Amino acid sequence: MTSSSRSSPSSSCSILSGSLGAGIASMPQIDVDIFEPQGISKLDAQASFLSKKQAAQLIKKSFSGKKGHVLFRPTVGQQQSCPSCSTTLLKGDFKVTYDVNRDKLCDLLVANNHFAHFFAPQNLTKLNKNVVFVIDISSSMEGQKLKQTKEALLKILGDMRPGDYFNLVLFGSAVVSWRDSLVQATAANLDAAQNFVRRFSLAGSTNMNDGLLQGIEILNKAQGSLPELSNHASILIMLTDGEPTEGVTDRSQILKNVRKAIRGRFPLYNLGFGHNLDLNFLEVMSLENNGRAQRIYEDHDATQQLQGFYDQVANPLLTDVELLYPWDTVSALTQHHHKQYYEGSEIMVAGRIADHKLSSFKGDVRAYREGQEFKTTCLVDEEEMKKLLQERGHILENHVERLWAYLTIQELLDKRMKLKGEEKANVSAKALKMSMDYQFVTPLTSMTIRGMADQDGHEPIIDKPLEDSPPLEMLGPRKTFVLAASQPSPTRPSSNTPHLPNKVTYVDTDPHFIIHVPQKEDALCFNINEEPGVVLNLVQDPDTGFSVNGQLIGKEARSPGQHEATYFGRLGIANPATGFQLEVTPQNITLNPGSGGPVFSWRDQASLRQDEVVVTINRKRNLVVSVEDRGTFEVVLHRVWKGSAVHQDFLGFYVLDSHRMSARTHGLLGQFFHPFDYQVSNLHPGTDPTKTDATMVVKNRRLTVTRGSQKDYSKDPRHGTEVTCWFIHNNGDGLIDGIHTDYIVPDIF
């Protein structure tokens, strides 16, 4: 799911599966950045829990050239399942799908003695297929599940091509086949099959074993006795919502029976309907037979989920696909043999390249089409690799190795499901070590912050997926999370917090920008009046790419011409040189949000290190970001308290040390990081007799300014300390370079 993970037409990179949240969250979001060397040709995002109209309104998608972006950030009201409900609408899948420009059969990326081989041939004619649907009609399928299954089957049958052959097998307490053998997808046969689907009803228990064996026998018989069907791509698809309760019910025996019957001839795909089933059992069965399993969520879109799965396997292009490499050049290969290759999919293989073997490295592909051998050879485009390395540097180098690690871990987790005892323990240990080495969060790993607990005594655990969830990848350079073993008391300053200077440059409250000018032992200040939702650039160093952006929050509804208070409710701090991103809101602190990084709350106390950046979270108070040889910054948390004039939590941003930032640093705050001069004269009473006006000359401009005061909350987030300053009117006009709208940016990263 980086966003740099690749998909192909009609295939999808599942960014989030299952329940998006247990309840309504104050500011949930999915933010996906995509980079593809070949350029992006298509980009889409869909949420199973949203209607098409809602998705069009709430999901923002854009792509240009090699980069794409998807953002989903619903408000509290948009999350509710009804206007007065406390339950969330966000339950289901959020999927991002995209394709790249393809002008060749395959693509080989090589970096850091690792390779990634992508194979996705285009413009091949579709193979005819033999497909048998094995459908659970036990009594537990009653109601909506049966209705949606029938709807999906009717649509799937309507999409069959004339050269396809098919059959239907139903299993309840007994097993019933629609026909004794495969039949061709003629108009008459399809019409008869659809009538059969409309009429069948539920019948008793779950005789899964016999249903599967009947479907397998139909396919085996067709391949063995009908020569014209032997070159078709055969596929078996089972849909069930429960566990075996009739006939053979021992799972290990069912697995053995299915393996023995299929004997590697064709893939078995298992669809598990709902949550009252053993998905691991279905996954093992599929993995042992060259297929995969998928959960179908019981929701309004289950018909589309079933149809969507079938669409992924509906158009086989090649069978018995094998990707081969010179035996003396590679090691630690990931899976490189696939029973079938489908239109809209992409085969990925990764591995290590031996030292000094790059010159002889290549990838050969061998497969079959309708009994005829298909061959091609893929070579490394060294000129293209040089260009990519210049463009993406160590991020690309690390990504190739991490892609190999990710695929390897996934295969170890798949293998682990099929093992027991010591063998399972050994594979688990290997997967766990790789997960820790490469900082992946998998079903074997979780991140717990020790030494603190919430009011119920629970220690926070970060990103621990369900047992049947895929690994979540925190992509980019390797990251080390250093979590303090013993935390200081929340009432004492953290030992990790640097000494705070007496006077700093910062932005806080509504939003007031305060510029400390050490040479004058004084400060300048200005406000920015903009709408809620606007994102302002605070700091931008063009030499390094380091940036800080902030998004305003406030009341959306206001009277025309009336200024309502706005505050910073979301900050994005990015250091592209190391792939570091930090998103801060009054609710959560998220490391690398675009690639599934860990999420902390303000109740946590932790120290995090990624390459040259250290983040220190001081519980319920502030966080400090220190960038090696660059600067130190503080984010102050403001909580609403009884009697406060402010009605929502917000953030302040303080610059503790910036003297090592480059001279070209800019932004609403960044442009003042280096010395500048101004002169004040002609002090006189202003329009407000309690305040003094003056004439200021700054940046060769003459301004009328007013003496005022603001609060510095860096040491006392509740009460603050008074700071006197010269106030520049009209959104800092004349002090800041350009006008304030020049600093509006599309998003926080």
Side-chain angles (χ1 to χ4, degrees):
M1 275 185 331
T2 45
S3 315
S4 49
S5 293
R6 295 167 51 147
S7 292
S8 300
S10 305
S11 68
S12 66
C13 166
S14 179
I15 301 303
L16 203 62
S17 293
S19 176
L20 194 60
I24 293 173
S26 55
M27 194 178 285
Q29 74 169 33
I30 297 174
D31 196 343
V32 184
D33 287 301
I34 304 167
F35 176 84
E36 279 295 349
Q38 291 171 261
I40 299 170
S41 62
K42 298 177 185 176
L43 174 63
D44 193 20
Q46 297 176 336
S48 64
F49 43 83
L50 297 177
S51 67
K52 287 186 178 180
K53 183 178 179 181
Q54 288 173 315
Q57 292 172 339
L58 299 180
I59 302 174
K60 298 178 181 178
K61 302 166 285 188
S62 62
F63 69 94
S64 178
K66 299 177 181 179
K67 296 181 178 179
H69 185 231
V70 175
L71 179 64
F72 174 61
R73 190 191 303 137
T75 64
V76 169
Q78 290 163 342
Q79 296 172 59
Q80 292 171 295
S81 52
C82 70
S84 60
C85 294
S86 60
T87 54
T88 179
L89 180 73
L90 310 187
K91 291 183 178 179
D93 284 342
F94 187 95
K95 291 188 177 181
V96 174
T97 61
Y98 70 95
D99 192 21
V100 298
N101 299 317
R102 302 182 189 277
D103 54 6
K104 48 189 175 181
L105 286 174
C106 49
D107 193 19
L108 268 176
L109 298 181
V110 174
N112 261 7
N113 275 40
H114 287 78
F115 77 90
H117 187 181
F118 303 92
F119 177 65
Q122 305 294 293
N123 304 318
L124 297 177
T125 56
K126 298 168 185 175
L127 297 179
N128 292 323
K129 61 183 177 291
N130 307 324
V131 59
V132 173
F133 301 95
V134 179
I135 308 299
D136 183 348
I137 59 166
S138 61
S139 55
S140 59
M141 287 283 289
E142 185 177 10
Q144 190 73 354
K145 284 187 281 189
L146 179 64
K147 177 177 178 289
Q148 291 170 327
T149 298
K150 289 190 173 192
E151 288 173 353
L153 281 173
L154 291 171
K155 180 69 169 61
I156 288 167
L157 289 169
D159 291 340
M160 287 275 187
R161 298 196 309 276
D164 293 339
Y165 282 70
F166 72 101
N167 203 346
L168 299 161
V169 174
L170 311 179
F171 67 92
S173 296
V175 176
V176 176
S177 297
W178 172 59
R179 294 287 187 264
D180 293 334
S181 60
L182 292 178
V183 299
Q184 190 172 357
T186 63
N189 284 335
L190 290 171
D191 186 57
Q194 288 174 324
N195 286 333
F196 174 75
V197 168
R198 293 186 186 100
R199 291 196 312 268
F200 74 68
S201 56
L202 302 180
S205 303
T206 308
N207 193 343
M208 184 184 296
N209 181 79
D210 289 359
L212 282 166
L213 294 182
Q214 179 86 325
I216 295 167
E217 183 182 357
I218 290 171
L219 284 173
N220 283 341
K221 188 187 297 182
Q223 285 188 328
S225 60
L226 299 171
E228 67 272 21
L229 302 187
S230 60
N231 292 327
H232 288 194
S234 293
I235 303 168
L236 184 66
I237 299 174
M238 178 179 73
L239 171 67
T240 182
D241 77 329
E243 301 178 7
T245 58
E246 183 84 15
V248 178
T249 58
D250 179 77
R251 289 169 174 71
S252 60
Q253 186 61 48
I254 294 173
L255 294 175
K256 182 178 178 181
N257 292 345
V258 171
R259 272 197 319 270
K260 183 178 178 182
I262 292 180
R263 293 184 181 177
R265 296 186 185 98
F266 46 80
L268 164 62
Y269 296 101
N270 286 327
L271 302 179
F273 213 138
H275 290 276
N276 297 322
L277 49 79
D278 185 349
L279 189 64
N280 281 353
F281 167 58
L282 299 181
E283 285 180 324
V284 170
M285 188 191 304
S286 291
L287 290 169
E288 289 183 340
N289 294 283
N290 299 297
R292 69 177 188 274
Q294 180 173 313
R295 189 187 297 280
I296 302 297
Y297 295 95
E298 296 181 60
D299 211 337
H300 61 88
D301 77 324
T303 300
Q304 286 74 30
Q305 293 178 58
L306 292 166
Q307 173 72 30
F309 178 87
Y310 174 75
D311 288 345
Q312 295 175 37
V313 299
N315 297 307
L317 301 178
L318 296 168
T319 60
D320 294 312
V321 184
E322 196 165 13
L323 286 79
L324 305 168
Y325 310 91
W327 66 270
D328 61 340
T329 66
V330 297
S331 61
L333 277 181
T334 60
Q335 183 182 351
H336 54 102
H337 179 269
H338 295 263
K339 193 64 188 172
Q340 293 175 359
Y341 168 73
Y342 302 99
E343 181 181 58
S345 66
E346 182 174 53
I347 293 175
M348 287 185 290
V349 180
R352 293 194 184 113
I353 302 176
D355 291 339
H356 314 299
K357 292 292 185 179
L358 181 58
S359 59
S360 59
F361 179 69
K362 63 175 183 174
D364 292 320
V365 181
R366 186 174 64 200
Y368 290 90
R369 286 181 47 78
E370 298 176 332
Q372 302 297 310
E373 193 172 36
F374 171 95
K375 286 184 177 181
T376 190
T377 296
C378 305
L379 301 174
V380 179
D381 187 334
E382 295 188 27
E383 288 302 314
E384 181 64 21
M385 280 304 305
K386 286 179 184 176
K387 284 167 54 180
L388 287 174
L389 287 170
Q390 287 173 354
E391 186 173 355
R392 300 297 283 179
H394 69 278
I395 293 176
L396 178 65
E397 291 181 350
N398 281 322
H399 178 65
V400 174
E401 180 177 349
R402 288 177 62 77
L403 178 60
W404 163 78
Y406 178 79
L407 294 173
T408 301
I409 292 169
Q410 183 62 71
E411 290 175 12
L412 289 170
L413 293 173
D414 290 344
K415 183 178 180 181
R416 168 178 171 265
M417 284 194 292
K418 298 184 275 186
L419 300 174
K420 293 181 179 179
E422 187 176 348
E423 284 184 302
K424 182 172 184 175
N426 291 338
V427 170
S428 298
K430 186 175 180 181
L432 176 60
K433 184 178 187 306
M434 287 192 71
S435 299
M436 299 295 287
D437 288 346
Y438 288 90
Q439 289 297 318
F440 294 104
V441 181
T442 72
L444 298 177
T445 58
S446 63
M447 188 182 298
T448 305
I449 305 177
R450 302 292 183 188
M452 75 206 69
D454 61 19
Q455 58 190 7
D456 299 318
H458 298 132
E459 293 178 322
I461 297 178
I462 301 164
D463 285 336
K464 185 177 181 180
L466 298 173
E467 183 66 24
D468 61 349
S469 297
L472 296 174
E473 185 180 11
M474 297 184 292
L475 291 174
R478 287 192 207 174
K479 303 164 181 63
T480 303
F481 301 89
V482 182
L483 304 182
S486 60
Q487 303 295 344
S489 165
T491 60
R492 301 199 307 268
S494 167
S495 59
N496 293 320
T497 303
H499 173 70
L500 299 181
N502 288 328
K503 296 180 180 179
V504 295
T505 291
Y506 64 95
V507 57
D508 212 334
T509 58
D510 176 22
H512 304 309
F513 290 75
I514 287 77
I515 312 303
H516 175 52
V517 187
Q519 311 92 288
K520 299 285 188 179
E521 295 186 347
D522 205 348
L524 308 181
C525 51
F526 59 95
N527 296 348
I528 296 292
N529 298 322
E530 265 300 344
E531 298 292 315
V534 167
V535 180
L536 297 172
N537 175 239
L538 305 180
V539 180
Q540 180 71 51
D541 186 342
D543 288 356
T544 63
F546 179 85
S547 67
V548 181
N549 296 319
Q551 184 173 42
L552 297 173
I553 58 173
K555 293 181 180 178
E556 296 287 351
R558 63 178 70 184
S559 303
Q562 180 186 1
H563 168 65
E564 289 281 349
T566 53
Y567 307 84
F568 280 112
R570 185 168 168 249
L571 293 172
I573 303 172
N575 192 42
T578 59
F580 170 88
Q581 289 184 337
L582 187 74
E583 180 180 358
V584 186
T585 71
Q587 294 75 38
N588 296 314
I589 300 118
T590 307
L591 183 63
N592 301 325
S595 51
V599 180
F600 299 83
S601 84
W602 284 96
R603 296 191 305 271
D604 299 331
Q605 182 99 17
S607 177
L608 311 147
R609 178 185 294 275
Q610 180 188 314
D611 298 311
E612 60 188 47
V613 183
V614 176
V615 179
T616 303
I617 303 171
N618 296 305
R619 188 170 185 258
K620 294 184 178 180
R621 184 181 178 90
N622 65 5
L623 68 84
V624 178
V625 179
S626 297
V627 186
E628 186 176 309
D629 297 324
R630 205 76 47 77
T632 304
F633 310 92
E634 178 189 17
V635 179
V636 172
L637 172 67
H638 291 278
R639 291 288 196 201
V640 173
W641 46 277
K642 188 175 181 180
S644 170
V646 181
H647 300 294
Q648 56 191 324
D649 300 341
F650 64 97
L651 305 170
F653 179 75
Y654 291 73
V655 181
L656 306 185
D657 178 15
S658 63
H659 75 275
R660 289 165 295 181
M661 301 287 285
S662 81
R664 297 203 302 146
T665 300
H666 211 259
L668 284 169
L669 291 176
Q671 62 188 291
F672 303 108
F673 283 179
H674 296 285
F676 69 100
D677 196 16
Y678 66 89
Q679 300 295 328
V680 176
S681 62
N682 188 28
L683 279 67
H684 59 275
T687 53
D688 181 348
T690 64
K691 295 181 179 179
T692 301
D693 278 5
T695 299
M696 176 180 289
V697 177
V698 58
K699 297 183 178 180
N700 296 318
R701 298 164 185 156
R702 185 178 295 272
L703 312 174
T704 297
V705 297
T706 302
R707 195 64 173 170
S709 66
Q710 300 294 348
K711 288 286 189 76
D712 178 341
Y713 294 92
S714 59
K715 300 179 183 64
D716 183 352
R718 180 160 181 174
H719 301 103
T721 56
E722 201 82 6
V723 176
T724 56
C725 59
W726 286 109
F727 181 76
I728 290 83
H729 301 269
N730 301 321
N731 294 302
D733 186 31
L735 174 65
I736 63 174
D737 295 336
I739 58 176
H740 80 279
T741 54
D742 295 340
Y743 299 86
I744 295 176
V745 294
D747 210 335
I748 61 169
F749 295 118

